[in-house]
Amino acid sequence: MILLDGRLASAAVKEKIKNQTDYYLSNNFRKPHLAAILVGNNGASETYVASKVKNCAEVGFASSLFRFDASISEDELLNAIKNLNNDTGVDGILVQLPLPKHISENAVIETILPNKDVDGFHPINVGKVVQGLPAFIPATPLGVMLLLEHYQISTKGKHAVVIGRSNIVGRPMSILLSSPHPFGNCTVTLCHSHTNSIRQHCLEADIVIAALGKPGFVTADMIKKGAIVIDVGITRVDDASSKRGFKIKGDVAFDSVSEKAAAITPVPGGVGLMTIAGLLQNTLRSYQNNFQLT
Ligand code: GUN
């Protein structure tokens, strides 16, 4: 069994990004700049955004973090985004989701300029990804593709089962895996909460991508021997024995599934780190587009 190690793969992607960035800086270009917006104080969102900011510094990017109280109005938030849209010193804008209920996530996503939408959530980017045109790919599915590439996992002609149809992960993942590129060309089944017999679908899968957010959902009896298993789940589960009071759990029952899988991602230390690598790659791409660099 091969452990698909997000630490190793993300470090390799980040090293390439850092080398390119260093080259631009040595030619007197400004730093690539990611602006992140965090609304409220959801514990998981705080952690993710802090990690994104820290990773920017690691590859030589500038970053700005804009924090707003959960009571901010939708108009105020949209105005903050418009200011960043107009700021030529900002390459990428990220608004951490979820947002408080009184703010429309769609309105927020559609206000970000598509060419600064490094999360790849704007309908223009989603449409372009579906059509196979150059676009920002959402960071988590992009991170999974980078992981497949790092480990040179052959996907062509394989049957991939994606569990979960979210706009952030499952749906774009299904599009990418079926698209005609080196780590695509799969036949894809997209399973969701109304799918009859998810187990039967999974048993026929060469590749299983679990992205439903239910800890331990994928069990060994659902996995064909020799399958590739990618766990996108990162759920906080109460755990009194841990210092923080919780543990991070994936969607896959790792211990038993790893005995059947040919390759599997751990949680933590798997896809989560690749998401950040994907975001950094998108931010560098946006910067290159700004300065017409390749
Ligand atoms: N919330 C969970 N995942 C993501 C992500 O990739 N980007 C943003 N902006 N919010 C998220």
Side-chain angles (χ1 to χ4, degrees), residues 119-138:
D119 259 328
F121 295 163
H122 192 288
I124 294 262
N125 282 313
V126 176
K128 286 184 175 178
V129 169
V130 170
Q131 294 188 336
L133 298 170
F136 293 119
I137 296 168

Side-chain angles (χ1 to χ4, degrees), residues 52 94-97 119 121 140 168 275:
K52 289 170 184 178
L94 167 152
V95 180
Q96 189 66 27
L97 305 178
D119 259 328
F121 295 163
T140 301
I168 294 182
T275 295

Side-chain angles (χ1 to χ4, degrees), residues 11-137:
V13 174
K14 280 166 60 182
E15 192 186 339
K16 274 194 217 154
I17 293 172
K18 184 170 188 325
N19 287 341
Q20 272 180 295
T21 304
D22 286 348
Y23 172 77
Y24 298 137
L25 301 188
S26 70
N27 281 283
N28 296 319
F29 282 90
R30 68 160 171 79
K31 291 181 176 186
H33 183 175
L34 175 71
I37 296 182
L38 178 59
V39 180
N41 37 29
N42 175 298
S45 292
E46 297 254 5
T47 308
Y48 297 148
V49 171
S51 180
K52 289 170 184 178
V53 166
K54 176 168 163 273
N55 273 269
C56 278
E58 284 174 14
V59 296
F61 291 3
S63 66
S64 313
L65 172 57
F66 297 87
R67 298 193 62 132
F68 296 107
D69 196 84
S71 62
I72 188 175
S73 71
E74 184 176 298
D75 269 356
E76 283 174 294
L77 182 58
L78 298 186
N79 280 332
I81 294 169
K82 286 173 194 163
N83 285 337
L84 294 171
N85 283 343
N86 292 330
D87 185 339
T88 54
V90 168
D91 304 292
I93 303 171
L94 167 152
V95 180
Q96 189 66 27
L97 305 178
L99 290 168
K101 287 206 170 50
H102 66 278
I103 298 175
S104 156
E105 288 189 354
N106 283 340
V108 164
I109 287 167
E110 288 178 28
T111 298
I112 298 171
L113 272 182
N115 64 4
K116 292 193 178 190
D117 168 39
V118 287
D119 259 328
F121 295 163
H122 192 288
I124 294 262
N125 282 313
V126 176
K128 286 184 175 178
V129 169
V130 170
Q131 294 188 336
L133 298 170
F136 293 119
I137 296 168

Side-chain angles (χ1 to χ4, degrees), residues 39-294:
V39 180
N41 37 29
N42 175 298
S45 292
E46 297 254 5
T47 308
Y48 297 148
V49 171
S51 180
K52 289 170 184 178
V53 166
K54 176 168 163 273
N55 273 269
C56 278
E58 284 174 14
V59 296
F61 291 3
S63 66
S64 313
L65 172 57
F66 297 87
R67 298 193 62 132
F68 296 107
D69 196 84
S71 62
I72 188 175
S73 71
E74 184 176 298
D75 269 356
E76 283 174 294
L77 182 58
L78 298 186
N79 280 332
I81 294 169
K82 286 173 194 163
N83 285 337
L84 294 171
N85 283 343
N86 292 330
D87 185 339
T88 54
V90 168
D91 304 292
I93 303 171
L94 167 152
V95 180
Q96 189 66 27
L97 305 178
L99 290 168
K101 287 206 170 50
H102 66 278
I103 298 175
S104 156
E105 288 189 354
N106 283 340
V108 164
I109 287 167
E110 288 178 28
T111 298
I112 298 171
L113 272 182
N115 64 4
K116 292 193 178 190
D117 168 39
V118 287
D119 259 328
F121 295 163
H122 192 288
I124 294 262
N125 282 313
V126 176
K128 286 184 175 178
V129 169
V130 170
Q131 294 188 336
L133 298 170
F136 293 119
I137 296 168
T140 301
L142 174 58
V144 172
M145 301 310 283
L146 291 169
L147 186 69
L148 295 173
E149 183 178 350
H150 180 83
Y151 281 95
Q152 290 292 302
I153 304 281
S154 153
T155 55
K156 187 170 151 189
K158 301 276 170 70
H159 181 200
V161 168
V162 178
I163 316 172
R165 58 179 163 182
S166 70
N167 287 341
I168 294 182
V169 187
R171 194 172 299 281
M173 193 77 251
S174 71
I175 301 294
L176 292 172
L177 286 168
S178 65
S179 295
H181 56 73
F183 297 90
N185 287 314
C186 290
T187 301
V188 178
T189 301
L190 180 55
C191 295
H192 49 75
S193 50
H194 292 273
T195 301
N196 290 331
S197 196
I198 291 184
R199 179 172 170 271
Q200 282 311 320
H201 290 295
C202 286
L203 276 171
E204 286 173 19
D206 305 305
I207 301 169
V208 174
I209 314 270
L212 70 161
K214 287 200 173 163
F217 180 89
V218 175
T219 47
D221 62 310
M222 297 167 72
I223 297 296
K224 181 168 79 175
K225 194 151 180 52
I228 310 289
V229 180
I230 310 281
D231 189 348
V232 184
I234 29 169
T235 306
R236 290 181 169 201
V237 176
D238 288 345
D239 177 20
S241 73
S242 121
K243 248 195 247 159
R244 300 178 297 182
F246 64 87
K247 261 193 181 158
I248 303 292
K249 289 273 186 197
D251 289 346
V252 175
F254 182 88
D255 291 346
S256 53
V257 171
S258 60
E259 286 177 13
K260 278 180 125 178
I264 184 169
T265 58
V267 176
V271 172
L273 299 170
M274 299 311 297
T275 295
I276 298 202
L279 174 70
L280 297 173
Q281 183 158 306
N282 279 343
T283 305
L284 184 64
R285 184 78 36 87
S286 178
Y287 170 86
Q288 289 169 325
N289 291 344
N290 274 340
F291 290 100
Q292 294 175 330
L293 303 160
T294 45

